[in-house]
Amino acid sequence: MAMQDKLFIVGLGGTTRAGSTSEKALAAALEAASQAGCETRLLGAGALPLEPYDPTRPERSIAATELVAALRRADGVLIASPAYHGGISGLVKNAIDFTEDMRDDALPYFEGRAVGCIVCADGAQAMGSTLASLRAIVHSLRGWPTPYAATLNSREKPFGVDGQAADPVAIEACRRVGTQVVEFARMARSLRST
């Protein structure tokens, strides 16, 4: 399969802290996509735009320009956010807001793209509301949220720490989200080519 024939899956999210639980979850989901033969790109802590999205200013930082370019090219998207006070983080929401630069594209926003959602919370209370709001945002941007989503309790250290083993159930949940994005992206590409 030639590189241009490979599906391109973009993962965005995490926190301002590199190696956060949500960034590790995103990496696990992208690994599943890579193993399924896709080209992947992780836009985590150091790659997301830090300047607030401002629709009145056409100037964009390098990070914002690269984010939008990657999303334009993407066949599928994975979004991982920490749960902050029952909703997605400002960093992730701000990154998503830059999709407004895609409004006049042939495939605007997330249209025609599978979008996998992953939420990490320090305790179980905020997971459901955060996942619901993330899926509502994906719907608003014309994306196709995958049926399966992953919610991870960061307090339980799903990726292990200090010699503690990683939780295989949590890792498999992230991988399943990545796999579903690939499956949906393949179906969408097949439909567009007929």
Side-chain angles (χ1 to χ4, degrees):
M1 184 182 280
M3 184 62 93
Q4 65 270 21
D5 294 332
K6 283 186 172 188
L7 291 172
F8 181 51
I9 309 299
V10 172
L12 72 90
T15 69
T16 54
R17 181 177 53 83
S20 65
T21 301
S22 50
E23 193 169 297
K24 288 177 181 175
L26 192 57
L30 284 171
E31 180 184 0
S34 179
Q35 289 175 347
C38 299
E39 179 186 355
T40 63
R41 177 145 185 220
L42 190 149
L43 298 169
L48 294 178
L50 296 178
E51 78 277 9
Y53 171 73
D54 182 348
T56 66
R57 298 189 63 192
E59 306 84 23
R60 296 287 181 248
S61 67
I62 292 170
T65 301
E66 289 182 0
L67 168 69
V68 172
L71 290 173
R72 280 188 167 124
R73 205 180 131 223
D75 294 289
V77 180
L78 290 155
I79 302 173
S81 179
Y84 289 163
H85 309 112
I88 69 172
S89 74
L91 177 69
V92 172
K93 177 62 167 72
N94 186 60
I96 293 170
D97 287 343
F98 280 95
T99 61
E100 187 61 25
D101 290 356
M102 300 163 61
R103 71 183 166 278
D104 296 323
D105 291 4
L107 287 175
Y109 309 109
F110 291 149
E111 186 161 325
R113 295 171 181 94
V115 182
C117 301
I118 301 171
V119 171
C120 302
D122 188 29
Q125 184 172 350
M127 286 187 218
S129 60
T130 303
L131 179 59
S133 83
L134 184 53
R135 284 185 159 173
I137 291 167
V138 171
H139 275 285
S140 295
L141 292 171
R142 306 178 196 176
W144 294 85
T146 57
Y148 191 84
T151 55
L152 306 177
N153 187 335
S154 301
R155 186 172 292 171
E156 295 174 356
K157 309 295 184 211
F159 295 95
V161 66
D162 298 329
Q164 173 190 348
D167 178 0
V169 174
I171 293 169
E172 180 54 33
C174 298
R175 292 180 58 80
R176 181 171 294 146
V177 173
T179 299
Q180 282 193 350
V181 166
V182 172
E183 290 168 352
F184 275 61
R186 283 188 177 135
M187 286 188 278
R189 182 181 276 186
S190 177
L191 288 171
R192 282 194 297 271
S193 66
T194 57

